[in-house]
Amino acid sequence: MIIFPAIDLKDGKCVRLLQGKATDVTVYSDDPVAMARHWQAEGGQFLHVVDLDGAFSGKPRNWDWVGRIASAVTIPVQLGGGIRTIEQIREALELGVHRVILGTKATSEGFLTQAIEEFGAEKLVVGIDARDGKVAVSGWTKQTELSATDFAKKVFQLGAYRMVFTDINTDGMMVGPPLDSIRRLCNTVGCFVIASGGVSTVDDIQKLQNLNVPNLEGVIVGKALYEKKFTLREAFP
């Protein structure tokens, strides 16, 4: 299982939010590049970077930092947050990002199909952010009535190769990942799934591995690492 250290960018700083709330911010570093290098030095295999300002505003805001991060490390980077056009996907990849996460725009069947045709499914990740089982969009500020499971089925049928599933209620709360929801989603689709939200201990990661679902590719860990609940090296089996 791949462990993805998270770097959430807000106003050029590395931060964490509680349940995605822009008003509940903890700043952990004013040097995201140094943080990226730190996670690589700790043995990180892949970085998960989110432009939070972009997610809230609907267009990229921290791409200078994204480019600097991608140039500073040799491990691949996946990027999400405010990417809503084909040109923005192209620009992100040109910055050196390995793959792009589509959240809000992935709810548009035509856009997702076009993006897959343009860049290939392996360069794209569909972000499924759920609150109480329903998809949330626009930086989690807007709640839809679309079932996360139904949405996952739809985008898989459209050709999605990989998904990130975030349970908003657990994000940043360190209460443990929603194992039943993750298992259900993985069993619903045939593509790779990356879990996000709630991890607080190495035991939580072990519980995810013990789900024994072959398409659960990895887990994103943020606050637990920043709060030093465990080290990235300790998380590796």
Side-chain angles (χ1 to χ4, degrees), residues 1-6 35-47 75 202 205 219-222 224-226 228-237:
M1 177 176 288
I2 300 171
I3 299 167
F4 296 78
M35 189 59 66
R37 288 180 174 139
H38 169 72
W39 294 134
Q40 176 172 278
E42 283 287 296
Q45 301 167 279
F46 220 114
L47 290 179
I75 58 176
V202 173
I205 296 173
V219 58
I220 296 165
V221 185
L225 291 175
Y226 290 99
K228 296 181 171 53
K229 300 300 181 183
F230 57 88
T231 68
L232 189 54
R233 291 187 185 279
E234 288 171 339
F236 293 129

Side-chain angles (χ1 to χ4, degrees), residues 134-157:
K134 300 298 177 89
V135 173
V137 296
S138 300
W140 302 353
T141 61
K142 296 180 182 178
Q143 191 72 32
T144 75
E145 290 304 311
L146 180 62
S147 158
T149 303
D150 289 345
F151 180 51
K153 288 179 184 177
K154 176 183 176 182
V155 296
F156 175 61
Q157 290 167 355

Side-chain angles (χ1 to χ4, degrees), residues 33 38 48 53 68 95 120 135 157-158 164 188 198 206 226 237:
V33 171
H38 169 72
H48 175 79
D53 297 306
R68 291 166 66 183
L95 282 174
V135 173
Q157 290 167 355
L158 290 174
V164 170
T188 297
Q206 186 61 53
Y226 290 99

Side-chain angles (χ1 to χ4, degrees), residues 35-151:
M35 189 59 66
R37 288 180 174 139
H38 169 72
W39 294 134
Q40 176 172 278
E42 283 287 296
Q45 301 167 279
F46 220 114
L47 290 179
H48 175 79
V49 177
V50 177
D51 179 356
L52 290 174
D53 297 306
F56 292 127
S57 68
K59 57 184 178 181
R61 295 290 191 187
N62 285 284
W63 275 15
D64 176 58
W65 281 109
V66 171
R68 291 166 66 183
I69 288 170
S71 298
V73 296
T74 56
I75 58 176
V77 175
Q78 63 183 22
L79 171 69
I83 299 171
R84 310 280 171 86
T85 70
I86 294 296
E87 185 56 34
Q88 286 168 353
I89 297 173
R90 183 176 293 109
E91 289 173 4
L93 294 173
E94 288 173 353
L95 282 174
V97 168
H98 183 71
R99 59 194 186 213
V100 171
I101 302 167
L102 300 176
T104 301
K105 284 297 289 187
T107 59
S108 167
E109 182 174 327
F111 180 83
L112 182 59
T113 300
Q114 182 185 359
I116 289 172
E117 290 175 352
E118 182 83 17
F119 303 103
E122 292 187 38
K123 283 295 181 181
L124 303 170
V125 183
V126 174
I128 302 180
D129 304 319
R131 182 186 288 111
D132 301 323
K134 300 298 177 89
V135 173
V137 296
S138 300
W140 302 353
T141 61
K142 296 180 182 178
Q143 191 72 32
T144 75
E145 290 304 311
L146 180 62
S147 158
T149 303
D150 289 345
F151 180 51

Side-chain angles (χ1 to χ4, degrees), residues 17-31:
L17 307 183
L18 280 181
Q19 298 180 325
K21 298 172 185 173
T23 55
D24 203 335
V25 183
T26 303
V27 177
Y28 287 102
S29 173
D30 59 4
D31 189 346

